[in-house]
């Protein structure tokens, strides 16, 4: 194909014509400028609108969870009604059911505060349809550290993992989220140790 193009589409010596030019063709130049500008503007509008919705956090969530990601597991500190529970700390595991378990009530607003002392991790619970990078060095209170989700209305145990390649045991940085009915969650809170 290359040889065919070189032989049959080379410039002939006797033909000095230039191919059709689009330079100084005002309608085409306006089209080439406006179409990308409109596309970028539309993308920007929807991105800004959805980012504001996704990053909105309420002043009084039902549950607050401080998530500390470290090489290569998780530490969850839950706060409900001003009471902080004893942190749940994990180790690298091969099955998410063996990792640290975060217990949450169904259908409630949960605010996550993410931190990392070492490298970039990523907090991801696929069932929640939300993933957020955990970046070291972001100070507490910075909006880049927090996000909020409404938990599913379906009790069950859901897999969670780090979605950012963070080192040797990245694939073993697994955890689970157990969603329970409110009465079962109240029993869990009564039995769970408190740090306050």
């Amino acid at each position: 194909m290359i040889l065919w193009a070189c032989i049959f589409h080379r410039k002939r010596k006797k033909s000095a014509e230039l191919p059709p030019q689009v330079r100084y063709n005002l309608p085409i130049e306006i089209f080439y400028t406006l179409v990308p500008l409109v596309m970028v503007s539309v993308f920007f509008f929807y991105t800004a609108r959805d980012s504001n919705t996704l990053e909105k956090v309420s002043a009084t969530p039902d549950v607050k969870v401080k998530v500390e990601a470290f090489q290569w597991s998780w530490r969850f500190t839950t706060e409900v009604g001003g009471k902080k529970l004893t942190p749940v700390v994990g180790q690298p595991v091969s099955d998410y059911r063996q990792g640290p378990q975060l217990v949450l009530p169904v259908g409630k607003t949960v605010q996550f505060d993410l931190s990392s002392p070492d490298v970039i991790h990523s907090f991801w619970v696929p069932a929640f349809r939300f993933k957020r990078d955990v970046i070291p060095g972001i100070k507490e209170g910075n909006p880049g550290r927090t996000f909020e989700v409404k938990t599913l209305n379906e009790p069950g145990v859901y897999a969670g993992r780090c979605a950012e390649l963070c080192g040797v045991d990245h694939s073993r940085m697994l955890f689970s989220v157990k969603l329970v009915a409110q009465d079962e969650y109240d029993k869990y809170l009564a039995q769970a140790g408190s740090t306050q």
Side-chain angles (χ1 to χ4, degrees), residues 11-171:
K11 185 177 177 186
R12 309 272 187 239
K13 288 184 182 176
K14 51 186 159 183
S15 170
E17 292 179 31
L18 289 172
Q21 301 294 299
V22 293
R23 192 173 38 179
Y24 307 118
N25 187 332
L26 196 57
I28 289 179
E29 289 184 11
I30 289 173
F31 177 77
Y32 286 163
T33 304
L34 287 182
V35 168
L37 190 62
V38 168
M39 288 173 59
V40 169
S41 300
V42 169
F43 293 150
F44 177 79
F45 169 76
Y46 285 108
T47 301
R49 183 198 68 180
D50 293 348
S51 291
N52 288 336
T53 302
L54 291 171
E55 293 176 357
K56 193 185 318 179
V57 293
S58 59
T60 56
D62 299 313
V63 180
K64 288 184 177 182
V65 179
K66 182 174 184 181
V67 177
E68 297 168 85
F70 57 90
Q71 289 181 314
W72 285 279
S73 196
W74 304 90
R75 180 181 300 111
F76 302 119
T77 308
T78 304
E79 182 182 333
V80 182
K83 176 184 174 186
K84 279 189 181 176
L85 305 182
T86 304
V88 176
V89 184
Q91 299 177 19
V93 293
S94 298
D95 183 359
Y96 74 92
R97 290 169 282 229
Q98 299 167 345
Q101 187 171 72
L102 177 60
V103 180
L104 296 173
V106 296
K108 298 292 181 180
T109 303
V110 180
Q111 187 179 100
F112 293 96
D113 179 24
L114 309 174
S115 66
S116 171
D118 42 44
V119 299
I120 297 176
H121 299 280
S122 191
F123 181 77
W124 184 38
V125 182
F128 289 177
R129 296 184 184 153
F130 201 97
K131 178 182 82 70
R132 188 77 176 254
D133 285 348
V134 186
I135 301 172
I138 298 179
K139 297 197 181 331
E140 200 164 341
N142 186 310
R145 276 179 55 143
T146 59
F147 74 94
E148 200 169 273
V149 296
K150 185 162 176 112
T151 57
L152 306 172
N153 286 321
E154 180 94 16
V157 178
Y158 300 92
R161 60 185 45 93
C162 177
E164 185 77 36
L165 183 59
C166 58
V168 175
D169 274 338
H170 160 71
S171 64

